[in-house]
């Protein structure tokens, strides 16, 4: 909710992981070896899909929507929506920035992707 994208980095092996765990998935090092790092929120589009049927009624007003897998510069992947984007304008390898959008009645911030235009 603070607009910060965090990930963990292992001081033992250097592996990064994108959601918190108690141990490193690569070498098994414990919590004291896992440091929190702030992502620069920049990456590239790995793949995408146009979703016509969301997982619940909460997505009904957003259908169809673009769901993307983004490879962040730090070395982890993040699945995000690509609002205000047309499927015909997308190609794998495009630059994507991650921002946050308040959603739901409590105003929970969730990550969203924006295709970066290069000039």
């Amino acid at each position: 909710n603070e607009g910060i994208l965090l990930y963990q980095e292992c001081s033992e092996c250097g592996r990064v992981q994108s959601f918190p765990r108690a141990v490193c998935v690569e070498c098994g090092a414990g919590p004291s070896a896992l440091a929190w790092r702030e992502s620069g929120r920049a990456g590239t589009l790995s793949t995408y899909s146009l979703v016509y049927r969301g997982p619940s009624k909460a997505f009904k007003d957003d259908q169809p929507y673009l769901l993307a897998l983004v490879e962040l510069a730090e070395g982890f992947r993040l699945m995000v929506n690509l609002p205000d984007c047309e499927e015909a304008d997308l190609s794998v390898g495009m630059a994507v920035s991650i921002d946050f959008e308040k959603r739901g009645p409590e105003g929970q911030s969730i990550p969203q992707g924006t295709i970066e235009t290069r000039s």
Side-chain angles (χ1 to χ4, degrees):
N1 283 337
E2 297 172 8
I4 300 169
L5 182 59
L6 298 175
Y7 64 96
Q8 291 176 315
E9 182 177 26
C10 179
S11 62
E12 297 289 324
C13 70
R15 168 77 180 230
V16 298
Q17 46 197 41
S18 63
F19 61 91
R21 297 179 177 99
V23 298
C24 175
V25 297
E26 182 72 21
C27 70
S32 63
L34 297 173
W36 288 101
R37 304 280 187 242
E38 185 174 344
S39 171
R41 302 185 335 201
T44 57
L45 183 62
S46 292
T47 190
Y48 60 91
S49 180
L50 186 59
V51 178
Y52 288 95
R53 184 175 180 187
S56 71
K57 290 181 182 180
F59 290 83
K60 185 176 181 180
D61 292 339
D62 296 329
Q63 295 171 21
Y65 60 91
L66 283 163
L67 188 61
L69 189 60
V70 178
E71 180 81 31
L72 277 293
E74 294 84 6
F76 65 93
R77 289 183 171 177
L78 184 66
M79 192 172 289
V80 296
N81 290 338
L82 294 175
D84 304 321
C85 188
E86 297 295 326
E87 182 181 20
D89 298 332
L90 296 178
S91 62
V92 170
M94 296 179 93
V96 179
S97 65
I98 306 298
D99 208 348
F100 293 87
E101 177 183 316
K102 299 249 185 227
R103 300 286 296 253
E106 289 83 33
Q108 179 74 33
S109 290
I110 61 168
Q112 300 285 342
T114 302
I115 298 298
E116 296 294 310
T117 56
R118 296 179 181 157
S119 43

